[in-house]
Amino acid sequence: MELNRRTVIAGAAAAGIAATTLGAGSAEAASGGRKPVKELFGKLADGTKVYRWSLENGGTRLRVLNWGGVVQGLEIPDRKGHYANVSLGFDNIDDYVAKTPYFGALIGRYGNRIAKGQFTLDGKSYQLSVNDGDNSLHGGKQGFDKHIWDVEPFTKGSDVGLHLHYTSVDGEMGYPGTLKAKVTYTLTKHGDWRIDYEATTDKATVVNLTSHVYWNLGGEGTGTIEDHELSIAAGRYTPTDPGLIPTGELAKVAGTPFDFRKTKTIGRDIRAGHVQQVQAKGYDHNWVLDKGITAKPEHVATLRDPRSGRTLKIATDQPGLQFYSGNFLDGTLTGTGGHTYRQGDALCLETQHFPDAPNHPNFPSTVLRPGQTYRTSTIHTFGC
């Protein structure tokens, strides 16, 4: 039987249960939003300071770096009121710079892959930075995740949050147009984490922003997510070639391991031997959401850890959801809790437009033109 999350949080506050990672008392977190707190996290090789911002509201605790807009920690309670950090990350900036597989990062200018780093727009061909075999992944070698963002904290009514700003100049990583991006992280009074993305350009370009948090609702470093239960409201997905580039087909999930329309454990079919799973080493695909593009975020996926009772519900206005089952975690990375991360120790659920959309006219367009504003929102609702 699942308990009301606010009841659990209030109980935790009354019992004085302490935070395991963020270091703040539960009573303070449960009492409402707290003004974001800034502290030095480290320095880059050139001496640039990297700061960490800590936010609390509605029983959710969030830590964010100005380097890459990285979510360095996110804590929520389980059914007994015990807090755990449910996102993978590092405890130092050097590992983020040298080793990170996009832990918690803001992704841009284009999330996911573009085949051979090439596309044509308005009759002109562009060559992007290539960093994933022959392809461009998550914006190239120096994507938005590898830059310092300007951060502006705010409190608005019962909400607390951060406005993050970054300007990508014309030609950066091969993309046309100077793109001004603004991303807002908000913690609501109910503990929801909302992300609002905005961008404008002075030349026609392509844009696809997303967040790359690695989730383990049992707590980072606690082991496999194969016993997590997942549902995705999608009757189709985009199969890929061996380079994980979409073939252009919108294939039905029915009768395949990709059918998550009814809740099932991630591990149930992950070793089913489907050719798509074999070449991806698990799940690393875009699900075509049944709702399509919508004016407001709509619920599209639910993740639950049966051991802790923690749940994550995702709502978005985007047409796609990339589910990645942590296939390339290999035990060489040590996280914030001192544990090594191995294959399948976390998963990503990235709200997005489709991978390689600039090269597939049948996919929803990712073109942004001068005078237009790119806007999209994703809401993460936590429960127990």
Side-chain angles (χ1 to χ4, degrees):
M1 176 179 175
E2 290 192 9
L3 301 176
N4 179 279
R5 183 168 187 257
R6 275 177 271 181
T7 301
V8 169
I9 294 168
I17 295 173
T20 57
T21 301
L22 295 190
S26 294
E28 183 176 17
S31 65
R34 188 183 76 176
K35 184 178 179 180
V37 176
K38 179 183 178 182
E39 62 182 323
L40 182 66
F41 184 71
K43 293 182 180 180
L44 301 179
D46 64 0
T48 301
K49 293 180 179 179
V50 176
Y51 291 98
R52 177 171 60 193
W53 296 85
S54 299
L55 303 80
E56 301 177 9
N57 206 7
T60 298
R61 302 164 181 164
L62 179 68
R63 293 212 290 204
V64 177
L65 305 182
N66 65 336
W67 190 82
V70 163
V71 172
Q72 194 256 342
L74 192 151
E75 286 195 356
I76 55 175
D78 65 9
R79 62 167 65 91
K80 295 182 180 179
H82 296 287
Y83 277 77
N85 177 18
V86 297
S87 66
L88 271 56
F90 298 117
D91 63 4
N92 66 88
I93 189 59
D94 291 342
D95 281 350
Y96 277 108
V97 172
K99 302 177 181 180
T100 184
Y102 305 99
F103 283 156
L106 282 177
I107 301 298
R109 180 175 306 194
Y110 198 98
N112 220 303
R113 294 172 174 85
I114 294 181
K116 301 186 184 303
Q118 298 173 351
F119 68 93
T120 299
L121 178 59
D122 296 337
K124 184 175 180 179
S125 296
Y126 294 92
Q127 177 62 59
L128 307 176
S129 166
V130 171
N131 63 327
D132 181 53
D134 294 333
N135 305 315
S136 182
L137 174 66
H138 295 329
K141 294 179 180 179
Q142 295 291 323
F144 287 9
D145 61 294
K146 296 178 178 65
H147 290 276
I148 294 290
W149 290 63
D150 293 327
V151 180
E152 175 190 355
F154 70 88
T155 58
K156 183 178 180 181
S158 58
D159 295 341
V160 298
L162 304 171
H163 297 302
L164 299 99
H165 301 265
Y166 176 70
T167 298
S168 174
V169 299
D170 183 24
E172 185 175 277
M173 297 295 102
Y175 287 92
T178 294
L179 189 85
K180 294 183 177 180
K182 175 184 177 182
V183 180
T184 301
Y185 289 165
T186 303
L187 287 184
T188 73
K189 66 179 180 180
H190 299 304
D192 297 346
W193 174 40
R194 180 181 178 118
I195 310 177
D196 294 288
Y197 306 86
E198 296 181 21
T200 58
T201 184
D202 61 358
K203 292 181 183 179
T205 190
V206 294
V207 60
N208 186 28
L209 306 182
T210 191
S211 171
H212 209 298
V213 172
Y214 283 68
W215 301 102
N216 185 322
L217 297 184
E220 67 83 31
T222 59
T224 182
I225 46 81
E226 289 191 12
D227 57 354
H228 280 37
E229 300 165 348
L230 177 65
S231 65
I232 304 174
R236 295 177 296 170
Y237 76 105
T238 51
T240 64
D241 66 18
L244 302 183
I245 296 293
T247 63
E249 179 186 5
L250 305 181
K252 293 182 179 180
V253 301
T256 77
F258 296 85
D259 192 349
F260 284 88
R261 291 174 295 175
K262 293 183 179 180
T263 302
K264 67 180 180 181
T265 61
I266 291 169
R268 193 184 86 176
D269 296 326
I270 200 169
R271 293 174 177 80
H274 192 286
V275 62
Q276 286 290 308
Q277 292 175 297
V278 172
Q279 65 187 20
K281 299 182 178 6
Y283 295 110
D284 193 1
H285 296 79
N286 168 67
W287 269 252
V288 180
L289 299 173
D290 292 339
K291 69 173 190 62
I293 300 173
T294 47
K296 297 179 180 180
E298 295 184 8
H299 174 245
V300 296
T302 298
L303 181 69
R304 180 177 182 271
D305 171 36
R307 291 175 296 172
S308 66
R310 295 187 184 95
T311 61
L312 164 62
K313 294 183 178 180
I314 294 179
T316 185
D317 50 19
Q318 292 287 274
L321 181 75
Q322 184 82 9
F323 166 34
Y324 167 59
S325 54
N327 313 326
F328 297 104
L329 298 174
D330 61 4
T332 62
L333 304 177
T334 301
T336 51
H339 303 285
T340 57
Y341 298 147
R342 298 186 179 277
Q343 186 179 53
D345 278 358
L347 62 93
C348 302
L349 296 168
E350 304 157 65
T351 56
Q352 59 173 22
H353 268 58
F354 301 172
D356 201 33
N359 294 310
H360 296 279
N362 60 317
F363 287 1
S365 175
T366 55
V367 174
L368 181 69
R369 298 186 180 278
Q372 298 176 335
T373 300
Y374 171 95
R375 288 190 178 93
T376 178
S377 301
T378 295
I379 302 171
H380 305 80
T381 299
F382 305 104
C384 52

